[in-house]
Amino acid sequence: MAILFSRHRTVVIHLTVWLILFTLPHLFFDSRNTQPGFFPVSWFVITNLYNAGIFYLNAFVLLPKLLNTKKWWLYLIAVTAILFISYYLKLWLTQIFYSNVQLDVWAYRILFFPVIPFLIASIIYKLIVNKIAHDKKQKEIMAEQLSIKLKFLRSQISPHFIFNVLTNLVSLARKQSKQLEPALMMLSDLMRYMLYESDEKKVSLANEIEYLKSYISLQQLRFGDDIKIDLDINLSQEILQQKIEPMLLIPFVENAFKHGTGADDPFISIQLFFNDNGLVLDVKNKFIEDDNSKDNNSGIGLENVQSRLMLLYPQKHQLTVNRENNIFHVHLNLPLSV
């Protein structure tokens, strides 16, 4: 539909330009003037039809076939031939059908030179069209590359997340905790979300938050009262219906649990609300400086989500990460529309 609209718009522009061009002789010359030696309006109309043909011949045949294929010498020969053929053809037309026209120096100039602006205009037109097509192609390539990169990043986040959840379940199994069964049920729900919804380009914010809550519940089953978890979600129903990229928020929360459970008096604070700038996720947790107890993969999810944000919200999102007084603080602002 968009291609069809673009073609119609192009046709309308061309018709408008040619209509203006063919109207000009009627504005500057009196068609009732039969004075000998004067080019009549009909002569300009006929020759402009010819010049229009030269415009499209040069733009769509000579330039693509000769100049763009580096056969510039053939192109020069073709243009020279056009100039002389145009001159003698218009001269013949004038002598046969407009014999009253006085062929003086100015008349010969009118016979020869008008075709040149049409040739130049066709070159400029083709350069502009080629530039637009090239830019469009580059944007399509960049969009495809962006899509591939996003799919790759998301494919990395999912296994990393499952790895951490399974680590939690192993911990519950070792304790022979009665909470293992409900934890497995929650994991089932999480897997269902990841398999059937995370492949979508966007999901509702409500679904993403339910996914987030399930993950936090799994962590609460694991740690119980050993860690203080403060979850504050303050969003209206209207906001919850907005769309967001799947698994975009979880890495920040996951990172808080990954690094915030080994400190003295550990706590994790998670706030999710909406303000004038968009959706805000604020996560705080205690951490231990130079903690080498975590595996080398602990930063995969956080690094990938930062890359996703730069690709999805270039110069639109705001992400600040602070480490001060053993407090790790992440503040994310996403420009969701309401």
Side-chain angles (χ1 to χ4, degrees):
M1 188 68 180
I3 296 176
L4 185 62
F5 175 78
S6 178
R7 289 178 179 175
H8 286 169
R9 184 176 59 181
T10 301
V11 171
V12 170
I13 292 174
H14 280 246
L15 290 176
T16 302
V17 172
W18 292 122
L19 180 62
I20 294 173
L21 182 65
F22 282 96
T23 303
L24 290 177
H26 295 277
L27 299 178
F28 293 99
F29 303 104
D30 187 357
S31 60
R32 295 171 296 179
N33 189 347
T34 58
Q35 179 181 354
F38 190 82
F39 281 102
V41 171
S42 60
W43 186 91
F44 287 101
V45 173
I46 294 173
T47 55
N48 278 339
L49 284 172
Y50 173 81
N51 292 334
I54 295 299
F55 175 93
Y56 289 110
L57 174 67
N58 187 51
F60 295 102
V61 179
L62 299 182
L63 287 172
K65 299 292 185 181
L66 300 179
L67 197 59
N68 289 354
T69 57
K70 298 183 179 180
K71 298 179 181 178
W72 58 269
W73 56 277
L74 283 176
Y75 178 76
L76 291 178
I77 293 174
V79 170
T80 303
I82 287 175
L83 292 175
F84 281 98
I85 291 174
S86 298
Y87 170 75
Y88 286 107
L89 184 62
K90 292 176 183 178
L91 179 62
W92 174 81
L93 176 69
T94 303
Q95 290 175 338
I96 298 299
F97 297 100
Y98 300 98
S99 56
N100 291 333
V101 174
Q102 182 179 349
L103 296 176
D104 54 13
V105 174
W106 286 104
Y108 284 117
R109 291 178 179 176
I110 292 175
L111 291 173
F112 182 79
F113 286 105
V115 73
I116 296 177
F118 283 86
L119 287 170
I120 295 174
S122 66
I123 294 173
I124 296 173
Y125 166 77
K126 195 61 179 178
L127 289 174
I128 294 174
V129 169
N130 288 345
K131 182 64 167 59
I132 294 174
H134 178 267
D135 291 346
K136 182 180 179 182
K137 185 66 176 178
Q138 289 299 113
K139 289 180 179 179
E140 290 175 352
I141 293 174
M142 290 178 64
E144 182 65 23
Q145 291 175 340
L146 173 64
S147 177
I148 293 173
K149 189 170 184 179
L150 285 173
K151 288 179 181 178
F152 174 71
L153 292 173
R154 284 168 60 181
S155 70
Q156 286 185 309
I157 289 174
S158 297
H160 178 255
F161 173 76
I162 290 297
F163 171 80
N164 285 341
V165 172
L166 290 176
T167 301
N168 296 343
L169 295 178
V170 169
S171 177
L172 291 176
R174 286 174 178 173
K175 296 177 182 179
Q176 297 183 345
S177 173
K178 295 180 181 179
Q179 297 173 332
L180 180 59
E181 184 176 349
L184 288 172
M185 295 301 295
M186 289 184 188
L187 177 60
S188 175
D189 292 337
L190 292 176
M191 291 293 294
R192 187 179 297 108
Y193 178 86
M194 293 172 62
L195 289 173
Y196 297 107
E197 295 194 45
S198 66
D199 282 340
E200 300 292 331
K201 288 185 178 180
K202 290 193 175 185
V203 296
S204 70
L205 184 57
N207 288 350
E208 183 73 2
I209 290 176
E210 285 302 315
Y211 178 69
L212 197 67
K213 288 180 177 179
S214 295
Y215 175 79
I216 295 172
S217 296
L218 277 173
Q219 295 288 11
Q220 287 176 322
L221 285 176
R222 175 187 176 187
F223 293 105
D225 297 330
D226 293 338
I227 180 172
K228 181 182 179 182
I229 302 174
D230 180 18
L231 176 62
D232 181 15
I233 298 176
N234 185 12
L235 297 170
S236 67
Q237 288 298 319
E238 182 182 9
I239 300 298
L240 290 173
Q241 299 309 309
Q242 297 303 306
K243 298 293 184 178
I244 189 173
E245 287 72 15
M247 300 186 71
L248 194 61
L249 305 179
I250 187 65
F252 298 105
V253 177
E254 181 186 6
N255 186 73
F257 280 99
K258 189 72 176 180
H259 297 277
T261 56
D264 295 331
D265 298 324
F267 78 91
I268 294 175
S269 172
I270 304 166
Q271 290 184 308
L272 197 59
F273 57 93
F274 193 87
N275 62 18
D276 294 336
N277 296 321
L279 182 69
V280 176
L281 173 67
D282 191 272
V283 182
K284 296 178 183 177
N285 64 272
K286 265 193 172 183
F287 74 99
I288 302 175
E289 291 284 0
D290 301 324
D291 182 8
N292 296 319
S293 64
K294 305 301 180 182
D295 59 86
N296 293 329
N297 296 322
S298 61
I300 292 177
L302 189 58
E303 290 175 1
N304 284 349
V305 78
Q306 288 174 314
S307 298
R308 288 180 71 197
L309 286 169
M310 287 188 290
L311 291 170
L312 293 168
Y313 301 94
Q315 298 180 345
K316 294 180 181 179
H317 75 285
Q318 295 178 356
L319 176 63
T320 58
V321 179
N322 294 319
R323 299 173 178 87
E324 187 175 356
N325 299 325
N326 294 105
I327 302 296
F328 190 88
H329 183 194
V330 174
H331 188 86
L332 172 66
N333 191 288
L334 293 179
L336 298 184
S337 58
V338 181

